[in-house]
Amino acid sequence: MSSIKITFPDGNIREYPAGTTALDIAKSISEGLARKVLVAKVNGEVRDAFRPINEDATLQLLSWEDKDGQAAFWHSSAHLMAEALESLFPGVKFGYGPPVENGFYYDVDLGGRKIGDEDLAKLEKKMTELAAQNNAYVRKEISKKDALDYFGKKGDEYKVETINELNEGEITFYQQGNFTDLCRGPHIPNTGFIKAVKLTNIAGAYWKGNENNKQLTRIYGVTFPKQKELDDYLKMLEEAKKRDHRKIGKELEIFAFDDDVGPGMPLWLPNGAIIIEQLEALAKKTEEAAGYHRVKTPHIARESMYLKSGHLPYYAESMFPPMSLLAESVKKAERPINKEEIKKELFAGDLTPEKIDAVFDQLLKAREDLPQDRYYLKSMNCPHHHKIFDAVPRSYKDLPLRLAEYGTCYRYEQSGELFGLMRVRSLNMNDAHIYCTEEQFASEFRAVNDMYLRYFKIFGIDKYVMRFSTHAPEKLGQKYVNEPELWKKTEDMVRRVLIDAQIPYIEVPDEAAFYGPKIDVQIWSVIGREFTLATNQVDFAQPLRFGLTYTTRNNQTETPICIHRAPLGTHERFIGFLIEHYAGNFPVWLSPRQVSILPIADRHVEYAKSVMEKLKAQRIRVMLDDTSEKIGKKIRDAEVKKIPYMLVIGDKEQQEGKVSVRKHGEGDKGQIAVDDFVLALSQEAAIP
RNA sequence: GCCGAUGUAGCUCAGUUGGCCAGAGCUACUGAUUUGUAAUCAGUGGGUCGGGGGUUCGAAUCCCUCCAUCGGCUCCA
């Protein structure tokens, strides 16, 4: 028998007989190690630890501590769940069952059977039983014909479809206990590693992620090698929930929703409005320094503008339906509506939805054949800004022209998409459009990126990913404007900027806006959902469509490039993110309430008021707790409200013209003269 | 929009298999207390049980429907 050379990560080389497995090798080192090995990286490829190695190779043994080990563990757990499902629900058919970031799922077709939360408990129990059997995962290479035969007989059309997409020679089955699955692996050695099981939720998921396909039932779960790890994980989820912006937003009276206002339409309470104002103050300060001009535009616009911009064909579905008015050209005499009649009708008796329907039906019907003038709520600011560019003749001397507006936009997001402040239907974009020449593009684009980074530093945002979205050539003319050369040119420009600035990014094809490539900054909510926080987009299409031009130095006419940028995304999403990011403990400059003054007894209230006036004079957001509570209770109230500074005032402070400073979450900081505190705080409260 | 779940006072939650005027704590309000670094005591108020319809002698509880929210899917200019 020939022997093979195995190279370990530390550079050591050892010889083993050909056909030895990673598990054997682990055992040869130590039993303890062998008990931990889940899978192995052989020549850089993650494989079953129980698969024979037949040639010289580098070897890395992977355990639960390795990402790949964890993935295999959860992948194998998905198979275990499938086995449990099959034993409890005979005839169930299987789609895909991969590991995900925090566990795994399996998409199954239960044949019209309903499954609810009660069933999950049964499944968990079954999985635990099956895991305890210590069944080995067995790999088997199989011909396409035999594979089709197996799942054909079983009647699992999803597996058959998947096999048909595979090539001969790359099909493998894995079996554990009584369950066999089509799978490319790798898997852990046996089910005995799985000690703790939690099935987290049931959801619908379309087969292959396509809305037009059948919806399967997706069951999510997570497993661990130790019960304690599961307990810790569940505890961590509980902790995360406490940071949820929906919870804190309500507690701190930042925002609210109301059925009568409508889903996805946040109401900003005074505390929330302060945060918005502070963010906007920061943005204004930053943009002013960067040469931006502020503009203001209406919330609605005529249909003609969205036809021109090209948004309507692409995005009609996600805009609120239009408001139809009679065109101005319709003569008064032709108007078939008798306002007096309608008023009479509306005011007679109770106003019911049916009655309102009838009136509007009548109005619409009467207008049916007459020329209409349709208006849309704007779902983006860019067309309005293009019109501002176009309102004045422009020359190269005006460029780059940077127009900024925190305009309110309205998007008819699907009902199931709404999510606290993170996904809403009325939103304020931190928007600006930069019109520039091709030569100016790189430095402008780069400056926008620098602005992002400056903001992220201010807020201490370090967990994010820059995502560069490019077009898919085969979808030109459908999803993307049909300008192949411009696409290539601008994508190259963006890529060059990213590389030159040494900004780490990932590139994703077929994710661009219809008018050009873009960079999105992706962040995660505390629940783990991914969102686009900021966006920076190139637009070569709309300036052309709007016929925007400027006069060059040589008296020629050129079309500018446009950069759409929103470094703080929407105020809604950004504040939702910040609430979770800070867990409601805002830095002083952002905090809706900055100081709470806590007199010990009534005789200190007058002095407390004089301190309050001094702070107010510096525009500090201060409140006075003059209730007849004990100091402990006043402190507790202020702590719960997450107010950054508490000033305790008693006899000593009053006599010496001082305050006792207590910092939220930190405790007593000792005494300080009032004027010193006011000075220090007004510095801390300044817009960064 | 789709699948699954949830909806009781401002908030957090109790309300057994349908059965007296639907409860608790916190909050709010009133009074007493004048207090030194995370909850003083007492009293009072507060609910169309998400909306509508149905079954029943009787519905927070069972059924239908609509709305909203939550977990996903799809979508995300």
Side-chain angles (χ1 to χ4, degrees):
Chain A
M1 203 185 207
S2 58
S3 67
I4 53 171
K5 286 199 182 78
I6 297 294
T7 309
F8 291 92
D10 62 3
N12 262 327
I13 298 177
R14 285 216 229 172
E15 285 204 15
Y16 290 93
T20 198
T21 69
L23 270 182
D24 295 334
I25 294 171
K27 265 181 210 149
S28 79
I29 299 167
S30 89
E31 280 291 335
L33 179 63
R35 274 199 296 274
K36 282 176 64 183
V37 172
L38 297 176
V39 283
K41 207 176 228 177
V42 180
N43 287 330
E45 181 201 355
V46 183
R47 306 205 321 190
D48 306 312
F50 50 83
R51 215 168 133 187
I53 303 170
N54 294 313
E55 65 286 309
D56 292 352
T58 60
L59 176 73
Q60 193 186 347
L61 299 168
L62 301 176
S63 70
W64 175 252
E65 273 73 48
D66 302 285
K67 271 260 172 262
D68 288 327
Q70 231 173 47
F73 188 90
W74 284 330
H75 189 180
S76 298
S77 301
H79 282 227
L80 182 69
M81 181 171 79
E83 186 181 0
L85 270 165
E86 199 163 65
S87 91
L88 291 177
F89 305 96
V92 56
K93 296 170 196 174
F94 296 94
Y96 294 132
V100 289
E101 199 177 338
N102 285 308
F104 58 89
Y105 66 78
Y106 218 125
D107 286 345
V108 297
D109 182 346
L110 294 160
R113 210 162 359 192
K114 292 240 169 176
I115 179 170
D117 288 346
E118 327 77 67
D119 298 302
L120 292 186
K122 283 185 219 156
L123 269 171
E124 280 172 14
K125 191 158 167 270
K126 190 77 192 168
M127 284 175 71
T128 314
E129 274 170 37
L130 292 169
Q133 291 175 5
N134 263 325
N135 291 322
Y137 286 86
V138 180
R139 180 178 189 272
K140 190 168 148 200
E141 288 173 18
I142 190 162
S143 72
K144 193 162 182 171
K145 187 183 162 301
D146 288 349
L148 284 172
D149 208 41
Y150 178 84
F151 281 106
K153 265 192 199 137
K154 203 177 165 190
D156 193 328
E157 65 260 31
Y158 306 101
K159 292 293 175 187
V160 168
E161 188 177 333
T162 309
I163 293 166
N164 275 320
E165 287 161 7
L166 295 169
N167 297 317
E168 188 69 66
E170 59 179 31
I171 300 170
T172 50
F173 278 7
Y174 277 81
Q175 185 190 353
Q176 96 275 1
N178 294 316
F179 179 75
T180 301
D181 204 353
L182 168 74
C183 183
R184 73 165 68 87
H187 282 283
I188 62 177
N190 65 67
T191 59
F193 284 89
I194 303 168
K195 301 284 194 211
V197 176
K198 177 77 190 168
L199 299 184
T200 45
N201 57 54
I202 304 170
Y206 303 103
W207 171 233
K208 292 184 168 171
N210 186 331
E211 213 178 345
N212 302 315
N213 285 346
K214 181 164 180 178
Q215 188 160 49
L216 306 179
T217 303
R218 174 171 295 182
I219 305 174
Y220 280 89
V222 63
T223 51
F224 292 91
K226 284 182 193 153
Q227 182 61 38
K228 183 170 183 308
E229 286 180 82
L230 173 60
D231 296 341
D232 289 348
Y233 173 75
L234 295 176
K235 202 183 274 175
M236 191 203 75
L237 286 185
E238 286 301 311
E239 286 301 311
K241 271 191 197 152
K242 289 186 191 160
R243 296 173 80 99
D244 193 315
H245 75 278
R246 291 166 297 187
K247 183 174 157 61
I248 293 180
K250 192 184 275 180
E251 286 167 356
L252 298 189
E253 298 179 16
I254 293 171
F255 65 91
F257 289 95
D258 187 287
D259 277 5
D260 286 332
V261 178
M265 315 257 198
L267 295 168
W268 290 100
L269 277 49
N271 288 338
I274 289 171
I275 302 174
I276 292 184
E277 300 275 348
Q278 291 299 97
L279 279 183
E280 291 188 353
L282 169 69
K284 283 175 188 170
K285 184 179 160 189
T286 306
E287 284 163 4
E288 209 172 288
Y292 285 71
H293 305 282
R294 301 195 56 72
V295 294
K296 299 264 182 204
T297 62
H299 289 208
I300 63 174
R302 278 193 166 137
E303 186 168 76
S304 54
M305 184 151 82
Y306 297 111
L307 286 170
K308 203 168 277 179
S309 73
H311 282 97
L312 260 186
Y314 289 97
Y315 296 112
E317 266 182 42
S318 53
M319 292 175 76
F320 276 86
M323 290 162 264
S324 271
L325 305 177
L326 278 183
E328 287 301 322
S329 59
V330 178
K331 303 267 184 313
K332 202 171 180 189
E334 296 173 51
R335 294 177 189 236
I337 298 157
N338 184 334
K339 285 182 182 169
E340 291 308 313
E341 282 290 307
I342 288 171
K343 256 187 207 160
K344 231 199 266 167
E345 203 167 322
L346 284 172
F347 281 104
D350 288 340
L351 198 54
T352 62
E354 291 73 29
K355 200 154 144 192
I356 294 168
D357 271 355
V359 168
F360 274 99
D361 276 353
Q362 190 191 326
L363 281 170
L364 292 172
K365 199 148 193 188
R367 292 165 171 178
E368 223 165 35
D369 304 321
L370 295 166
Q372 302 283 310
D373 200 1
R374 281 202 286 267
Y375 285 82
Y376 289 77
L377 277 166
K378 69 177 172 185
S379 60
M380 71 301 292
N381 301 305
C382 37
H384 283 97
H385 289 186
H386 299 332
K387 289 298 186 186
I388 289 178
F389 182 95
D390 207 29
V392 177
R394 304 289 179 184
S395 90
Y396 71 96
K397 292 178 185 170
D398 298 322
L399 305 189
L401 181 70
R402 311 179 188 92
L403 304 178
E405 176 180 18
Y406 312 138
T408 309
C409 297
Y410 302 87
R411 297 180 181 178
Y412 191 71
E413 303 285 2
Q414 297 186 70
S415 61
E417 276 312 324
L418 302 174
F419 179 76
L421 283 182
M422 304 300 255
R423 194 77 180 269
V424 289
R425 285 183 174 159
S426 78
L427 44 110
N428 281 274
M429 297 228 280
N430 183 250
D431 213 0
H433 295 91
I434 301 171
Y435 302 86
C436 64
T437 68
E438 221 169 274
E439 294 72 47
Q440 291 165 338
F441 174 79
S443 70
E444 285 303 310
F445 199 80
R446 172 113 186 233
V448 170
N449 265 299
D450 288 347
M451 190 183 283
Y452 281 23
L453 299 177
R454 185 179 120 76
Y455 281 139
F456 292 175
K457 204 171 158 205
I458 288 172
F459 295 104
I461 301 172
D462 45 21
K463 195 184 169 227
Y464 63 88
V465 167
M466 292 248 185
R467 193 178 67 178
F468 173 32
S469 300
T470 56
H471 78 300
E474 67 274 14
K475 291 187 188 163
L476 283 170
Q478 301 154 42
K479 191 173 167 187
Y480 306 111
V481 291
N482 198 1
E483 300 278 356
E485 284 99 60
L486 280 171
W487 276 104
K488 191 177 174 327
K489 195 156 97 182
T490 49
E491 285 176 1
D492 285 346
M493 282 197 288
V494 172
R495 202 177 286 112
R496 207 176 318 121
V497 169
L498 284 169
I499 292 168
D500 288 353
Q502 297 186 315
I503 294 167
Y505 68 97
I506 55 166
E507 187 164 331
V508 276
D510 197 16
E511 292 276 321
F514 75 86
Y515 45 66
K518 60 175 180 174
I519 295 174
D520 292 326
V521 180
Q522 302 300 109
I523 50 101
W524 289 266
S525 83
V526 82
I527 303 293
R529 243 153 86 168
E530 180 176 345
F531 289 95
T532 298
L533 188 68
T535 186
N536 186 6
Q537 312 176 343
V538 186
D539 182 357
F540 48 78
Q542 289 193 58
L544 268 174
R545 299 185 65 110
F546 276 81
L548 304 185
T549 59
Y550 64 93
T551 307
T552 68
R553 192 183 293 268
N554 307 320
N555 204 22
Q556 302 287 306
T557 296
E558 282 276 358
T559 299
I561 297 181
C562 177
I563 298 172
H564 305 231
R565 46 109 276 181
L568 303 180
T570 70
H571 296 322
E572 286 71 17
R573 187 173 292 178
F574 197 74
I575 290 173
F577 169 80
L578 284 182
I579 291 172
E580 300 189 352
H581 178 66
Y582 292 124
N585 304 312
F586 291 100
V588 171
W589 73 276
L590 265 182
S591 186
R593 292 156 171 169
Q594 297 171 317
V595 178
S596 185
I597 300 180
L598 316 176
I600 300 277
D602 285 350
R603 64 178 178 279
H604 309 122
V605 168
E606 201 168 324
Y607 172 66
K609 279 184 178 160
S610 76
V611 174
M612 179 159 79
E613 288 314 315
K614 281 187 177 172
L615 286 163
K616 275 191 175 164
Q618 299 302 313
R619 305 196 69 203
I620 297 295
R621 300 183 286 276
V622 55
M623 53 191 283
L624 172 66
D625 186 349
D626 58 0
T627 57
S628 60
E629 291 289 348
K630 299 212 286 198
I631 194 66
K633 167 71 167 164
K634 292 185 182 184
I635 286 171
R636 188 189 140 76
D637 285 348
E639 289 282 357
V640 168
K641 286 177 188 153
K642 298 175 185 289
I643 298 170
Y645 285 102
M646 288 151 271
L647 301 182
V648 177
I649 287 172
D651 291 334
K652 279 178 282 179
E653 291 80 3
Q654 188 166 336
Q655 277 155 27
E656 297 168 24
K658 289 185 171 174
V659 291
S660 279
V661 178
R662 183 188 163 101
K663 219 169 165 179
H664 168 62
E666 294 181 24
D668 196 352
K669 293 287 171 187
Q671 295 182 7
I672 179 173
V674 177
D675 293 342
D676 292 345
F677 178 77
V678 173
L679 183 67
L681 189 69
S682 34
Q683 279 166 8
E684 192 179 346
I687 304 288

